[in-house]
Amino acid sequence: MTTQDPGASKALLRHQLAESRLQTDAVFDIVRPDALYERPIEERHRIIFYLGHLEAFDWNMVCGTSFDLKPLHPEFERLFAFGIDPVEGNLPDDKASDWPPVEGVRRYNLQVREAVDQCLNKADLSTSDQPYVKNGLIFWIAIEHRLMHLETLSYMLHWLPLEMKRGLNRPAPDSQSGPAPRQTRVPAGQARLGAYRENGSTFGWDNEFEGHSVNVPEFAIDVYKVSNGEFLEFLQAGGYEERSLWSGDAWNWLCASGIRHPKFWLKRGTEWWYRAMFGEIPLPLSWPVYVSHAEASAYACWRQKSLPTEAEFHRAAAGQETYGNFGLRGWDPAPVHSNESARSASGVVEMVGNGWEWTSSAFSPFPGFERLPFYPGYSADFFDNKHFVLKGASPRTASRLVRPSFRNWFQPHYPYIYSGFRCIRR
Ligand SMILES: [Fe+2]
């Protein structure tokens, strides 16, 4: 991401940095002050970690790596350096009292913002005098890292008890039914994956390179994302009890967790309800179902279909020109057919927006992958066949991240995220 005019690039970076800070500040403001040490998702750090993490990351990357400044607060720069993604049930067991007082974290954050701004002011984006500053690379890393956390914070706070949140009201109940499910054919052809380093100025994370093409045979794909109503049929048919629909790992996870419905659903008497970000409403049957990879895979198996591979997703999504439901438009999804004009060339509706979509592809490096030298574990730590690729975008995905080469990934048994799916038949 660059322009020929370094001044213009710097102005764009300043603007995006300031805007992304306002956006993450607004998300933290949802948390009532006495809830900042809560842990809404047991596999993740407490909220206070993320309050320190965004700035400590910026300090470590921009001020430390590129501008070689001495540590501002060595303890914070270690404590808040990296998040966690425990596999195989090793949950964190730290206590709230293990974390520093919030006032100190907020003071630190203000100091870091000033220091990062000063680095940007004196940066020469046209040269390589300071490492990773050319074309604004390290600043884009900071901005996009913050925007990715904008979404992970959003879904994390989704699971904070309602009484610990402030701000918006619960959404209006939505009783419309979903569209009749149907599929459309995607002809055989080449899928273009990833981004090309070419002139060295294209911004992308390490896992987006190198761009390449893949031959994809013809297949048929659902025109709409799978809705809550369709998934309810799976549940009512006993899908969660049918061992043959689940992989061994997924079945063990079901048995151990006791999960018997999508995390976003809850039962009141005989009625299904939906837990939206700011309140509960009767289950909106036309909204996309948000589920884990394991649940999406079991549903696809039940319909005698499959999840698309990453390459198949690209083939089906190519040419979606109209904007979908992303870019922080709201907090909750809309009916799967509410954005009919957001169609790909193959006639598939809203593959980008209204919820990420699971693929059957394990997260793995593209040919020509090279780690980011200043953040070697960003992707490579997750090339473990225990994470799957998601594509598209959710309502809480910043517009800047919505590009065809962007790849998201999560463990298959992680039910908290804004991730839906659709099925294919080969
Ligand atoms: Fe992070």
Side-chain angles (χ1 to χ4, degrees):
M1 176 59 61
T2 186
T3 106
Q4 295 304 308
D5 175 358
S9 286
K10 209 180 261 195
L12 180 62
L13 285 166
R14 273 198 201 100
H15 173 75
Q16 295 252 341
L17 189 56
E19 186 177 62
S20 63
R21 285 170 177 166
L22 286 175
Q23 288 167 331
T24 47
D25 286 350
V27 176
F28 282 116
D29 280 347
I30 288 167
V31 184
R32 290 193 179 278
D34 57 358
L36 277 169
Y37 290 77
E38 293 294 319
R39 189 199 306 280
I41 295 178
E42 59 179 0
E43 291 96 330
R44 291 289 184 256
H45 275 312
R46 296 171 186 278
I47 300 168
I48 184 71
F49 166 83
Y50 298 93
L51 189 67
H53 173 60
L54 294 182
E55 256 62 46
F57 181 91
D58 289 2
W59 174 274
N60 288 337
M61 291 294 156
V62 176
C63 304
T65 300
S66 286
F67 288 83
D68 204 24
L69 302 187
K70 289 199 173 58
L72 178 64
H73 194 313
E75 183 199 338
F76 282 7
E77 278 132 33
R78 240 189 344 268
L79 183 67
F80 294 124
F82 295 108
I84 50 171
D85 182 26
V87 290
E88 282 145 16
N90 300 313
L91 299 177
D93 60 358
D94 55 274
K95 299 177 194 61
S97 57
D98 295 340
W99 296 90
V102 65
E103 298 76 19
V105 178
R106 291 199 190 279
R107 263 197 312 277
Y108 171 75
N109 288 352
L110 288 176
Q111 289 175 307
V112 172
R113 288 186 182 187
E114 211 175 306
V116 170
D117 290 347
Q118 282 173 9
C119 288
L120 180 55
N121 285 341
K122 67 184 180 199
D124 182 348
L125 307 181
S126 63
T127 74
S128 306
D129 290 352
Q130 290 118 350
Y132 318 118
V133 166
K134 193 173 181 188
N135 296 320
L137 174 62
I138 205 73
F139 296 101
W140 285 119
I141 290 284
I143 290 164
E144 290 215 354
H145 172 262
R146 182 176 291 271
L147 293 176
M148 284 188 266
H149 273 291
L150 177 63
E151 174 155 8
T152 57
L153 276 169
S154 296
Y155 80 69
M156 195 174 85
L157 298 186
H158 200 109
W159 304 108
L160 189 67
L162 289 171
E163 64 275 14
M164 294 184 186
K165 300 185 214 183
R166 57 186 180 184
L168 302 174
N169 298 321
R170 81 169 192 155
D174 185 345
S175 60
Q176 61 181 304
S177 51
R182 60 189 171 87
Q183 290 202 314
T184 184
R185 296 211 72 78
V186 179
Q190 288 210 318
R192 285 169 62 91
L193 279 70
Y196 292 85
R197 289 189 183 95
E198 282 172 351
N199 56 16
S201 64
T202 302
F203 179 84
W205 292 87
D206 53 4
N207 63 65
E208 295 174 61
F209 299 105
E210 185 60 21
H212 61 288
S213 293
V214 177
N215 279 322
V216 180
E218 185 184 71
F219 62 97
I221 187 164
D222 295 347
V223 170
Y224 304 103
K225 283 185 190 22
V226 173
S227 66
N228 284 320
E230 288 169 90
F231 202 85
L232 183 60
E233 294 172 21
F234 165 78
L235 184 146
Q236 289 173 335
Y240 278 90
E241 286 81 41
E242 180 49 57
R243 169 71 187 84
S244 65
L245 300 175
W246 303 78
S247 71
D249 282 352
W251 188 253
N252 291 340
W253 168 68
L254 272 194
C255 294
S257 65
I259 286 174
R260 288 295 178 273
H261 58 78
K263 176 80 182 167
F264 288 78
W265 297 12
L266 56 146
K267 201 155 195 187
R268 287 191 180 158
T270 57
E271 302 289 309
W272 285 105
W273 282 61
Y274 184 85
R275 178 168 169 163
M277 177 66 181
F278 292 103
E280 294 163 2
I281 57 174
L283 185 67
L285 297 176
S286 63
W287 291 15
V289 69
Y290 285 165
V291 284
S292 66
H293 185 271
E295 290 162 298
S297 301
Y299 174 94
C301 185
W302 178 66
R303 294 279 190 202
Q304 298 180 311
K305 297 178 184 171
S306 311
L307 297 182
T309 63
E310 188 174 2
E312 285 165 337
F313 181 96
H314 276 272
R315 276 295 293 162
Q320 181 186 322
E321 287 174 0
T322 313
Y323 281 1
N325 182 14
F326 57 78
L328 317 181
R329 281 208 209 162
W331 283 90
D332 296 305
V336 294
H337 59 316
S338 58
N339 211 348
E340 288 272 5
S341 60
R343 275 176 190 264
S344 73
S346 303
V348 189
V349 172
E350 205 166 19
M351 293 194 81
V352 181
N354 214 26
W356 292 88
E357 296 192 15
W358 285 110
T359 74
S360 61
S361 299
F363 183 51
S364 60
F366 286 162
F369 169 82
E370 287 173 20
R371 294 167 185 241
L372 288 168
F374 49 86
Y375 193 175
Y378 172 68
S379 302
D381 284 358
F382 304 95
F383 295 149
D384 55 5
N385 277 323
K386 292 178 177 166
H387 293 80
F388 288 85
V389 173
L390 301 102
K391 297 291 294 183
S394 89
R396 301 301 302 162
T397 308
S399 297
R400 157 128 193 127
L401 303 178
V402 180
R403 55 177 177 263
S405 59
F406 191 87
R407 307 167 80 198
N408 195 356
W409 66 93
F410 275 100
Q411 295 183 37
H413 307 148
Y414 198 63
Y416 310 101
I417 54 178
Y418 302 139
S419 55
F421 67 104
R422 70 184 80 215
C423 300
I424 66 156
R425 195 167 266 149
R426 296 186 182 95

